[in-house]
Every structure is written in C-alpha cells, then in structure tokens.
Amino acid sequence: MKIKSQIAMVLNLDKCIGCHTCSVTCKNVWTSRRGLEYAWWNNVETKPGPGYPKTWENQEKYRGGWVRRKDGSTELRLGNRPRVMSQLFSNPYLPQVEDYYEPFTFDFSSLKGKRRMKTPPSARPFSMITGKQMDKVQDGPNWEDDLAGTFDQRKSDPNLHDIDTQGFAEFERTFMLYVPRLCEHCLHPACIPSCSSGAIYKRKDGVVLINQDRCRGWRQCISACPYKKIYFNYKRMKSEKCVFCYPRIEDGQPTVCSETCVGRMRYLGVILYDSEKIDEYAAADERDLVRCQREMILDPNDPEVVVEAERQGISHNYIMAAQKSPVYKLMKEWAIAFPLHPEYRTLPMVWYVPAMSPKVEEVAAEEQKGPADAAAGEMDYFAKVDEMRIPAQYFANLLTAGDPQPIREALAKLVALREYMRRKTVDGDDQPSVPEAIGLTAAQYDDMYRLLAIADYNDRFVIPTDPKQQGSHHFDERTGLGFDDEEENFVEGCKRHNIFGGI
C-alpha cells in the first residue's frame, strides 16, 4: 500500500443558485489577460445543455479520457504514443473557437459625450479577439443559462441520450440544474501522458499544473482532457489551466471560487488514498468505477493507515486535516457525493452531491402515512426520489456512468435527512425514528445537517498549511512522450527560474 494525499473538492448542487460569482472571481484573478478572453477556468453550466465548449461530453467527437483495453489495462482514447505524435501538427479533435464562443465587449465609449437624442443610444458589440465590430452576438459560455435556449438546443446534451425527453419541452415538465465545473485534478489524468514535452505534472498535494517553460503549445492535452479544462493562450502560444489556487492552498486558504461562493456549496479537504490501486481501479468495469474510487480512499482514522502514512512521509498536518476532512464524509462515509463522468477513467477529485428537485405531481397518500409504519416509511423515501422532477437517470449519466441506484440511495438519504430534521425541529420529537434501509444513524444525520445546512467557514474548508513538509519538492508524477530530462535537473531548473512559486 502506497499512501498519498490529495486536496479534493465537493460541490453540493442542491445549494448552487447559478449566480456565477465563482466564475467571475476566478476570471478576474487568473484569466483576465490577453490571450485568454474566451477561457473560463471555472464556469457554471445550466443542465441539460450542450455546455462549454459545446457538447464537451461527446468523446466520440473530442476523444478525451481513457478507454479500457481487452487485456484489462487503459489507453488514451486519443491513441497510443505514435498516434499522438503524428497529430502534433494536425489534430482533428481540438475544439474550435465556435465550440467555445467569440469573446465580445461593448463600445461603451459611444454612450459618452453624445448629444440628447429621441431614442436612447446603444453600444455595439466588438470582438475581443479581432477588435472588429460584430453584427450579432450569437453565443456565450452559458448561452442556455436558466433555460434561455429552446429545448431543441438543450437536448443536444449527451446525458439525455437514453432518456425519453418527450414532454420536457413543456415548461411545466422541464427540469434544470446548475453544474459548476473546473479542472478535476484527477488521480489518473489523461493530460499528463498526452503531453509530448512532459510539461504537465501532478504535485504531491494533488494539484495538476503545467510548467510554462516546458510547454510547446502542441495542444494534445486539450484533446486528451475529457472535461476540456485546458485552454490555449493564443497570445503566449502556451496551454493553461486551473491551478486550484495553489498559492492560497499552500497558505491554508480555500480556492477563490470556494471563498466567494454565495451559496456556500463548496467543500475543500484532504483525502488519503492508495496510489497502487490507480491503474487497477481506472480499468474497472464502468458500473464499478464509483465503488472502486471510494474503496481507494483510505480511512484517516484507522490507526494502521495513520502509522503507515507517517512512515511513508505524509506530514502530521495532512493526516490531521484528513481526519477532519468534510470531503471524506461526503465522498465515502455518507456516500452522497459522486465524481463527474467516472467513465472517462481519470479518477477525478472534484465530486458532486446531486441536487434535489420538486415533484412533478403531489401524492396525497404520502401525507397520510405516519412514522409508525417503519417498513412503508423506508420504502417511501425511494418513492419520493422517483417522483422528483429531475430524473435519477440523468444524474446517473452525469455522475455514476449510467447506474441510477447509487443516485437513488444518495437522494433517499437527503430526503430522509429533511424528514428527520423536520420531525426534530417542527414536531418537537427529540428522538425521531431513523430508517434502517438508508444506512445512517441519528448521529450521522445530525453531522450531515451541520455540514450541509449550517456549516461555518472552518467546517467547509479544512486545508493544511505548508505542503513542503511532505517532501523536498512537489513533483510527484511527470510523464511525457519522451524528451524528459532527469528529474533532478528538471526540478533544479524550475527552482532556478522560480517556476510555480513555493517549489
């Protein structure tokens, strides 16, 4: 068992209000410069919808992530090493400008100094790339925000491929949710082996970065990333991506998107995992991927795990943070969070709690059932899940590789939590009944309520300081398609040029 630590994030979709504050603050801090006008390291998509870039989930088009070979191993969907090298100068799987959008601004100066007119003056849109006036703004990073687009546009969402969408075009029956997205900082990232110059690496704290001195702008990483969270800076001719606000993480502070989240729906913490299982679990059967990824996460309170982690050089700060980690509870202990598209086999480390939704039709018989009928009550939670407006199958296609049962179980726990707290606070029942079929105790319900509903700052963000205690440097995984120097020379060169401060 080889124990490693990872900074992970969980997003509670039930609390996202779609305000885009996280996107704007991330944009202002990291990508508000020439060459990245179109890039949003953090964006909030309205689902169902084609997303940003358009239909990024269609891997038949973009060839991102990994595929399972017949011998049980994994291979880049983009192809093996010779094929990747052959596409350096002509890559047919790169998203184009129209797949993102042409960034625009408005000629606000035309509104100043104008003499009074009978009609109000207007500011014309201008392209931020060419500087020329645009006839019409036709697209944006979330053009279907709040169901703005027609259902014909939104149903291009690949997650609807096996769902009967008949009737969803009607406003009374349609559904929507917000899905914030950022780099997944995967345990089995596809971007690293696709980089022909060996510029992408994974630090010991789990953050995946691009060495800007070594990047040659081949852009194979953009195609290989199934989440399309690597962007090409056309001004610098380099690839850039979310850095997980690592200067803040090193100082024990949360990422900018987490800090500014209005809905307080982001959680940050440390998990310990067995890195020897990565190759085995990444090649598991699709329906077993979520279970395998949970099994790979180790219990930080297990004395044997603690002793072994200390022996292998995991700092005491990280072990203590892992024991208090909110993401461990959400991801493994309560099992209500899931990775985004585990079928891409990258073992992502940004997980999501599925959103609850109102029912399409009220069932009067439910209100007549009392808590005394334990068996019926236990089954009732799953019945309520099946009556929700957002189909469980949609969440399954998004979070569990198409298996709806884990989603139903997680939503049933959230429904049971509401019923438990309603009986406790509204009905005045000091010891409300706990459904055995859900698999949680009363103490776990209380902990879940405190974390999901009324958690304060220190509960949501448990981040250890000074990750340098874990080793002499952060370079943990750096694999390219050849052209790699000796690691020590590479590290010394980065220190000499002060690449990614803190190394």
Side-chain angles (χ1 to χ4, degrees):
M1 180 170 61
K2 187 176 181 180
I3 301 178
K4 291 185 179 181
S5 60
Q6 168 87 29
I7 300 289
M9 179 185 290
V10 172
L11 297 88
N12 184 1
L13 299 182
D14 199 39
K15 299 175 70 176
C16 183
I17 61 175
C19 65
H20 299 267
T21 303
C22 53
S23 300
V24 174
T25 52
C26 177
K27 184 73 174 176
N28 289 336
V29 172
W30 294 109
T31 62
S32 57
R33 60 186 185 277
R34 183 70 171 161
L36 288 178
E37 297 90 348
Y38 75 101
W40 296 82
W41 286 358
N42 182 104
N43 69 291
V44 182
E45 298 175 358
T46 297
K47 289 290 190 179
Y52 161 80
K54 289 184 180 65
T55 62
W56 60 270
E57 293 155 297
N58 183 359
Q59 301 312 326
E60 295 302 320
K61 175 181 178 181
Y62 291 123
R63 312 293 292 175
W66 302 83
V67 292
R68 184 184 184 185
R69 290 195 186 109
K70 292 182 179 179
D71 62 0
S73 62
T74 56
E75 179 186 49
L76 287 178
R77 189 185 295 269
L78 194 61
N80 55 19
R81 180 175 300 186
R83 183 172 181 179
V84 171
M85 295 295 292
S86 69
Q87 297 172 173
L88 287 183
F89 302 102
S90 179
N91 186 350
Y93 307 116
L94 274 176
Q96 305 300 308
V97 173
E98 55 269 19
D99 294 320
Y100 295 98
Y101 74 109
E102 186 172 2
F104 56 88
T105 186
F106 295 95
D107 181 19
F108 294 107
S109 61
S110 65
L111 302 178
K112 302 177 181 179
K114 294 287 186 180
R115 56 189 178 85
R116 182 169 296 181
M117 304 169 60
K118 291 184 178 180
T119 58
S122 61
R124 301 300 299 271
F126 279 78
S127 170
M128 297 178 70
I129 297 180
T130 64
K132 297 180 179 179
Q133 182 175 309
M134 301 171 63
D135 294 333
K136 185 179 180 181
V137 176
Q138 297 180 333
D139 206 353
N142 191 5
W143 203 243
E144 294 75 25
D145 193 16
D146 294 335
L147 305 180
T150 64
F151 187 73
D152 287 339
Q153 294 173 309
R154 289 185 283 115
K155 73 179 182 181
S156 62
D157 185 341
N159 298 300
L160 293 171
H161 72 278
D162 58 351
I163 298 177
D164 183 8
T165 59
Q166 186 176 1
F168 286 151
E170 302 174 8
F171 182 78
E172 292 79 6
R173 290 194 56 194
T174 194
F175 67 92
M176 59 167 282
L177 70 148
Y178 302 111
V179 180
R181 293 204 305 116
L182 64 157
C183 174
E184 301 287 326
H185 297 276
C186 310
L187 300 181
H188 190 232
C191 57
I192 290 179
S194 71
C195 179
S196 57
S197 56
I200 308 180
Y201 63 96
K202 188 174 180 67
R203 307 198 324 170
K204 282 188 176 293
D205 58 2
V207 178
V208 177
L209 296 178
I210 302 176
N211 183 336
Q212 295 295 290
D213 270 6
R214 291 177 65 90
C215 179
R216 299 294 178 263
W218 299 122
R219 288 171 279 181
Q220 298 299 312
C221 56
I222 299 177
S223 297
C225 174
Y227 305 100
K228 293 297 169 282
K229 279 301 171 181
I230 301 181
Y231 302 92
F232 183 67
N233 188 323
Y234 62 87
K235 187 69 175 179
R236 298 179 59 246
M237 302 300 287
K238 305 278 189 180
S239 294
E240 300 186 24
K241 62 177 290 297
C242 162
V243 297
F244 217 59
C245 294
Y246 70 89
R248 295 174 58 90
I249 293 293
E250 290 178 1
D251 198 36
Q253 300 181 57
T255 61
V256 170
C257 59
S258 301
E259 178 86 60
T260 59
C261 177
V262 174
R264 300 183 179 184
M265 46 80 75
R266 297 185 185 234
Y267 303 84
L268 280 169
V270 176
I271 63 165
L272 303 178
Y273 67 96
D274 184 3
S275 63
E276 290 182 345
K277 299 291 187 180
I278 288 179
D279 291 337
E280 175 188 347
Y281 286 168
D285 185 81
E286 278 196 358
R287 294 298 179 100
D288 294 329
L289 284 169
V290 175
R291 177 186 59 80
C292 288
Q293 195 164 350
R294 282 208 179 102
E295 288 181 359
M296 192 166 57
I297 299 173
L298 303 175
D299 183 0
N301 297 299
D302 186 342
E304 294 183 3
V305 172
V306 172
V307 171
E308 186 64 21
E310 291 178 341
R311 190 187 68 81
Q312 296 186 23
I314 305 295
S315 70
H316 180 71
N317 283 353
Y318 265 65
I319 295 174
M320 292 294 292
Q323 292 175 347
K324 301 176 182 178
S325 175
V327 299
Y328 174 80
K329 293 181 179 180
L330 295 166
M331 295 165 72
K332 184 163 185 176
E333 182 179 340
W334 302 332
I336 59 174
F338 304 91
L340 183 64
H341 287 296
E343 68 272 17
Y344 298 161
R345 303 181 184 277
T346 60
L347 306 183
M349 279 289 104
V350 177
W351 288 33
Y352 296 82
V353 178
M356 301 177 68
S357 59
K359 292 180 289 187
V360 179
E361 297 179 357
E362 291 291 338
V363 181
E366 291 178 357
E367 304 299 329
Q368 300 175 2
K369 293 181 180 180
D373 189 357
E378 291 170 9
M379 295 301 295
D380 185 52
Y381 294 113
F382 292 96
K384 289 182 178 180
V385 169
D386 295 333
E387 293 160 6
M388 289 182 178
R389 183 179 293 268
I390 303 177
Q393 186 61 51
Y394 184 83
F395 279 125
N397 294 341
L398 192 68
L399 303 174
T400 59
D403 185 3
Q405 189 56 29
I407 297 294
R408 295 179 70 245
E409 292 174 357
L411 289 173
K413 292 175 183 177
L414 297 175
V415 173
L417 171 63
R418 289 192 178 186
E419 294 290 334
Y420 175 84
M421 293 307 302
R422 183 178 293 114
R423 293 170 186 169
K424 194 171 183 178
T425 57
V426 177
D427 299 338
D429 188 353
D430 293 335
Q431 295 180 336
S433 59
V434 176
E436 296 181 1
I438 303 299
L440 296 178
T441 64
Q444 287 177 314
Y445 279 128
D446 291 332
D447 289 343
M448 191 186 301
Y449 170 71
R450 280 192 292 268
L451 186 59
L452 295 179
I454 59 174
D456 61 19
Y457 189 92
N458 293 328
D459 291 331
R460 289 182 287 123
F461 308 130
V462 182
I463 308 167
T465 57
D466 194 10
K468 291 186 287 295
Q469 294 183 30
Q470 292 202 76
S472 59
H473 55 75
H474 286 309
F475 291 89
D476 184 43
E477 182 178 352
R478 182 178 58 84
T479 55
L481 301 177
F483 314 114
D484 289 339
D485 300 328
E486 290 296 326
E487 183 169 341
E488 289 300 321
N489 295 336
F490 182 48
V491 173
E492 290 301 320
C494 289
K495 288 181 179 179
R496 188 165 55 252
H497 295 288
N498 195 26
I499 303 301
F500 300 118
I503 294 176

